[in-house]
Amino acid sequence: MSRLDAFSRGEVPPPAAPGDPIERVDTPALIVELDAFEANLAAMAAFAARHGVHLTPHFKAHKTPAIAKRQKALGAAGFCVQKVSEAAPLVAAGLTPILVTNELVGDAKIELLCALAARAPMSVCADNATNIAALAAAAAARGVTLAVLVEVDAGSGRCGVAPGQPAADLATLVAAQSHLRFGGIQAYHGKAQHVREVLYRKTMIDQAVVAVRATTAALASAGLACPRVAGGGTGSFFLECASGVYTEIQPGSYALFDRDYSDNEPVTEPGVPQFQNALFVLATVMSATRPEHAVCDAGLKSMSFESGMPRVRGRPGIQYRGPSDEHGVLALLDGAKVAVGDRLHLIPGHVDPTVNLHDWIVATRSGRVEEVWPVVARGMVF
């Protein structure tokens, strides 16, 4: 079946097929280089195993069951999602258990959660009594039991109840519901992930650990065991592991690794993995009319820019200066030259929203397409 036939049916065909040389990949396309990607997966899995913590990778980073299957094969204990809709393709693929690391508000979302809980182990976060009551009523109506983790504000100032007694009070409320089970606490410090200096990052996670200890102490006083202390992202997982209080880490971006994470100060502590950029937006130079100026075909609809401009891999002197909808303006510095038709590997600033712009990931090795993966959960933001 031709690509034209697929477009005619309203489908988006993949930009390449297994066996194609990378030169035949239609652009802009999302590319994963398998050697770097597989090394990233193996390094994180080995680190978690050495430290005796559960690795529960965040599916929201890649939204791709083909990647989740590889993570599961390397020992992932389950998966995190940020939106309940993302859990549906994981349940369909048998990639469970699943934790929704977010509050779910609204009947449609909670009903979907309960429907999925009838098929697979599901957990969800909550930080207020109103939401707990809604979860309990829906679970009772469906005849399922939900594990609820109390989300504690570990320093991000986003969702989460205050640590200590307020968190313990909510946990007590959860435990009192016939169709809810207190599953532990969620203590993720999102603001720490992209703090450049390792020492400052450590200070922030140390504060999160204080919040966790205060909460587990209050839970113990209330007679509640805390079976799960979850958190930790790609920028801080090694710090949560070192604390001795976290039982689970939840990194997502480590698998693909973006420009923003690679801008962090490297961790020199022995045994901490060093990840590689494995995700690229492959772009084509479409115009080069002036000596210091060129344009490629990847703009706002091809990658995310809220974390800054992409970096051009392996082409010194070429800087991505700014996007419009379908174009990327390139500055040619220090005598750098490009020709119309040249291919550029752009390292996007932020993995998660970049992946969500694409229907396909083209997995390559040694300059040839090895697999093509559908981004099944693209657009599942509800």
Side-chain angles (χ1 to χ4, degrees):
M1 196 70 68
S2 71
R3 297 186 75 203
L4 178 58
D5 291 331
F7 283 124
S8 298
R9 294 192 304 272
E11 300 172 0
V12 179
D20 284 347
I22 197 168
E23 291 78 15
R24 290 194 60 184
V25 177
D26 200 4
T27 64
L30 205 57
I31 300 289
V32 164
E33 293 193 346
L34 285 167
D35 288 342
F37 163 75
E38 290 168 355
N40 290 346
L41 294 193
M44 184 66 84
F47 183 87
R50 286 198 306 272
H51 286 80
V53 300
H54 294 297
L55 172 60
T56 309
H58 224 308
F59 183 67
K60 76 180 181 73
H62 54 74
K63 290 177 170 277
T64 304
I67 293 177
K69 287 178 182 177
R70 290 174 178 243
Q71 291 172 316
K72 187 75 168 180
L74 289 171
F79 295 92
C80 298
V81 298
Q82 195 71 353
K83 299 298 183 78
V84 66
S85 56
E86 293 175 326
L90 287 174
V91 171
L95 297 166
T96 62
I98 298 168
L99 166 64
V100 183
T101 55
N102 206 358
E103 286 67 31
L104 297 182
V105 175
D107 291 344
K109 291 178 175 62
I110 295 175
E111 287 170 5
L112 177 56
L113 174 70
C114 291
L116 292 170
R119 300 173 56 192
M122 298 292 300
S123 304
V124 66
C125 291
D127 68 359
N128 64 87
T130 300
N131 193 209
I132 290 168
L135 292 168
R142 176 66 83 150
V144 298
T145 298
L146 297 172
V148 176
L149 277 68
V150 171
E151 183 168 9
V152 175
D153 183 356
S156 286
R158 193 169 59 183
C159 295
V161 68
Q165 193 59 48
D169 290 343
L170 276 187
T172 301
L173 179 61
V174 170
Q177 310 305 312
S178 61
H179 286 268
L180 301 183
R181 174 172 57 82
F182 173 58
I185 61 173
Q186 172 77 4
Y188 172 68
H189 198 330
K191 284 186 176 177
Q193 303 310 309
H194 295 283
V195 170
R196 301 303 182 209
E197 300 83 2
V198 176
L199 186 59
Y200 186 24
R201 227 179 305 156
K202 181 180 184 304
T203 299
M204 296 173 78
I205 298 304
D206 285 347
Q207 293 169 352
V209 170
V210 170
V212 168
R213 291 189 189 280
T215 303
T216 54
L219 289 168
S221 295
L224 288 175
C226 186
R228 188 174 184 182
V229 177
T234 296
S236 70
F237 67 92
F238 58 99
L239 298 169
E240 281 89 354
C241 283
S243 72
V245 300
Y246 282 79
T247 65
E248 173 182 317
I249 54 173
Q250 303 169 330
S253 297
Y254 77 96
L256 302 175
F257 213 59
D258 53 36
R259 195 229 70 241
D260 200 359
Y261 270 118
S262 63
D263 285 348
N264 280 356
E265 179 184 14
V267 180
T268 57
E269 184 178 335
V272 176
Q274 303 297 312
F275 302 110
Q276 307 170 56
N277 294 121
L279 182 78
F280 305 89
V281 174
L282 185 66
T284 300
V285 175
M286 57 191 295
S287 175
T289 58
R290 300 192 289 280
E292 296 180 353
H293 170 95
V295 180
C296 70
D297 61 358
L300 290 167
K301 294 181 183 178
S302 301
M303 71 191 104
S304 165
F305 288 87
E306 89 290 346
S307 295
M309 298 298 117
R311 184 176 297 125
V312 183
R313 186 187 69 173
R315 297 294 297 268
I318 303 178
Q319 290 185 2
Y320 193 108
R321 281 293 173 85
S324 53
D325 283 357
E326 314 290 358
H327 302 85
V329 174
L330 307 170
L332 308 180
L333 309 176
D334 302 322
K337 298 182 183 302
V338 297
V340 170
D342 281 359
R343 298 298 189 94
L344 302 176
H345 283 72
L346 307 178
I347 306 170
H350 191 180
V351 161
D352 306 34
T354 295
V355 170
N356 195 53
L357 292 170
H358 292 261
D359 288 287
W360 302 93
I361 295 175
V362 179
T364 68
R365 198 188 310 270
S366 302
R368 189 166 292 274
V369 178
E370 195 164 296
E371 300 180 54
V372 182
W373 303 326
V375 185
V376 174
R378 179 193 178 184
M380 292 184 178
V381 294
F382 44 88

